[in-house]
PDB file of all heavy atoms in Angstrom:
ATOM      1  N   VAL A 609      98.990 133.085  98.721  1.00 89.00           N
ATOM      2  CA  VAL A 609      99.007 134.003  97.576  1.00 89.00           C
ATOM      3  C   VAL A 609     100.362 134.602  97.455  1.00 89.00           C
ATOM      4  O   VAL A 609     100.997 135.040  98.429  1.00 89.00           O
ATOM      5  CB  VAL A 609      97.940 135.132  97.706  1.00 89.00           C
ATOM      6  CG1 VAL A 609      98.064 136.109  96.560  1.00 89.00           C
ATOM      7  CG2 VAL A 609      96.578 134.530  97.774  1.00 89.00           C
ATOM      8  N   ARG A 610     100.915 134.662  96.208  1.00 87.00           N
ATOM      9  CA  ARG A 610     102.234 135.246  95.933  1.00 87.00           C
ATOM     10  C   ARG A 610     102.110 136.110  94.674  1.00 87.00           C
ATOM     11  O   ARG A 610     101.321 135.890  93.817  1.00 87.00           O
ATOM     12  CB  ARG A 610     103.266 134.144  95.703  1.00 87.00           C
ATOM     13  CG  ARG A 610     103.432 133.189  96.872  1.00 87.00           C
ATOM     14  CD  ARG A 610     104.387 132.090  96.509  1.00 87.00           C
ATOM     15  NE  ARG A 610     104.576 131.170  97.651  1.00 87.00           N
ATOM     16  CZ  ARG A 610     105.366 130.082  97.609  1.00 87.00           C
ATOM     17  NH1 ARG A 610     105.966 129.768  96.503  1.00 87.00           N
ATOM     18  NH2 ARG A 610     105.465 129.319  98.676  1.00 87.00           N
ATOM     19  N   ARG A 611     103.029 137.065  94.658  1.00 87.00           N
ATOM     20  CA  ARG A 611     103.167 137.884  93.457  1.00 87.00           C
ATOM     21  C   ARG A 611     104.349 137.360  92.597  1.00 87.00           C
ATOM     22  O   ARG A 611     105.395 137.070  93.144  1.00 87.00           O
ATOM     23  CB  ARG A 611     103.396 139.355  93.790  1.00 87.00           C
ATOM     24  CG  ARG A 611     103.401 140.286  92.568  1.00 87.00           C
ATOM     25  CD  ARG A 611     103.797 141.668  92.942  1.00 87.00           C
ATOM     26  NE  ARG A 611     102.806 142.320  93.818  1.00 87.00           N
ATOM     27  CZ  ARG A 611     101.746 142.968  93.377  1.00 87.00           C
ATOM     28  NH1 ARG A 611     101.504 143.026  92.064  1.00 87.00           N
ATOM     29  NH2 ARG A 611     100.901 143.516  94.211  1.00 87.00           N
ATOM     30  N   ILE A 612     104.121 137.271  91.305  1.00 85.00           N
ATOM     31  CA  ILE A 612     105.171 136.798  90.378  1.00 85.00           C
ATOM     32  C   ILE A 612     105.647 137.999  89.565  1.00 85.00           C
ATOM     33  O   ILE A 612     104.826 138.637  88.847  1.00 85.00           O
ATOM     34  CB  ILE A 612     104.659 135.696  89.481  1.00 85.00           C
ATOM     35  CG1 ILE A 612     104.250 134.459  90.314  1.00 85.00           C
ATOM     36  CG2 ILE A 612     105.756 135.296  88.465  1.00 85.00           C
ATOM     37  CD1 ILE A 612     103.712 133.337  89.475  1.00 85.00           C
ATOM     38  N   GLY A 613     106.914 138.352  89.676  1.00 82.00           N
ATOM     39  CA  GLY A 613     107.455 139.469  88.934  1.00 82.00           C
ATOM     40  C   GLY A 613     107.123 140.827  89.542  1.00 82.00           C
ATOM     41  O   GLY A 613     106.506 140.902  90.610  1.00 82.00           O
ATOM     42  N   PRO A 614     107.457 141.887  88.840  1.00 84.00           N
ATOM     43  CA  PRO A 614     107.182 143.233  89.342  1.00 84.00           C
ATOM     44  C   PRO A 614     105.672 143.475  89.383  1.00 84.00           C
ATOM     45  O   PRO A 614     104.837 142.803  88.788  1.00 84.00           O
ATOM     46  CB  PRO A 614     107.842 144.157  88.286  1.00 84.00           C
ATOM     47  CG  PRO A 614     108.874 143.292  87.620  1.00 84.00           C
ATOM     48  CD  PRO A 614     108.283 141.902  87.634  1.00 84.00           C
ATOM     49  N   LYS A 615     105.290 144.569  90.119  1.00 84.00           N
ATOM     50  CA  LYS A 615     103.866 144.843  90.321  1.00 84.00           C
ATOM     51  C   LYS A 615     103.151 145.198  89.031  1.00 84.00           C
ATOM     52  O   LYS A 615     101.966 144.872  88.853  1.00 84.00           O
ATOM     53  CB  LYS A 615     103.725 145.997  91.307  1.00 84.00           C
ATOM     54  CG  LYS A 615     104.027 145.581  92.782  1.00 84.00           C
ATOM     55  CD  LYS A 615     103.749 146.720  93.738  1.00 84.00           C
ATOM     56  CE  LYS A 615     103.995 146.309  95.173  1.00 84.00           C
ATOM     57  NZ  LYS A 615     103.635 147.377  96.123  1.00 84.00           N
ATOM     58  N   ASN A 616     103.865 145.840  88.091  1.00 85.00           N
ATOM     59  CA  ASN A 616     103.161 146.240  86.855  1.00 85.00           C
ATOM     60  C   ASN A 616     102.895 145.096  85.933  1.00 85.00           C
ATOM     61  O   ASN A 616     102.235 145.259  84.908  1.00 85.00           O
ATOM     62  CB  ASN A 616     103.947 147.332  86.134  1.00 85.00           C
ATOM     63  CG  ASN A 616     105.378 146.862  85.800  1.00 85.00           C
ATOM     64  OD1 ASN A 616     105.819 145.831  86.238  1.00 85.00           O
ATOM     65  ND2 ASN A 616     106.066 147.685  84.962  1.00 85.00           N
ATOM     66  N   PHE A 617     103.385 143.852  86.285  1.00 86.00           N
ATOM     67  CA  PHE A 617     103.069 142.694  85.470  1.00 86.00           C
ATOM     68  C   PHE A 617     101.651 142.182  85.830  1.00 86.00           C
ATOM     69  O   PHE A 617     101.017 141.496  85.028  1.00 86.00           O
ATOM     70  CB  PHE A 617     104.084 141.567  85.724  1.00 86.00           C
ATOM     71  CG  PHE A 617     105.331 141.691  84.865  1.00 86.00           C
ATOM     72  CD1 PHE A 617     106.087 142.833  84.882  1.00 86.00           C
ATOM     73  CD2 PHE A 617     105.738 140.644  84.088  1.00 86.00           C
ATOM     74  CE1 PHE A 617     107.258 142.948  84.127  1.00 86.00           C
ATOM     75  CE2 PHE A 617     106.863 140.745  83.286  1.00 86.00           C
ATOM     76  CZ  PHE A 617     107.635 141.903  83.328  1.00 86.00           C
TER      77      PHE A 617
END
Side-chain angles (χ1 to χ4, degrees):
V609 176
R610 302 175 179 179
R611 186 187 293 276
I612 299 178
K615 288 186 177 181
N616 59 350
F617 277 55

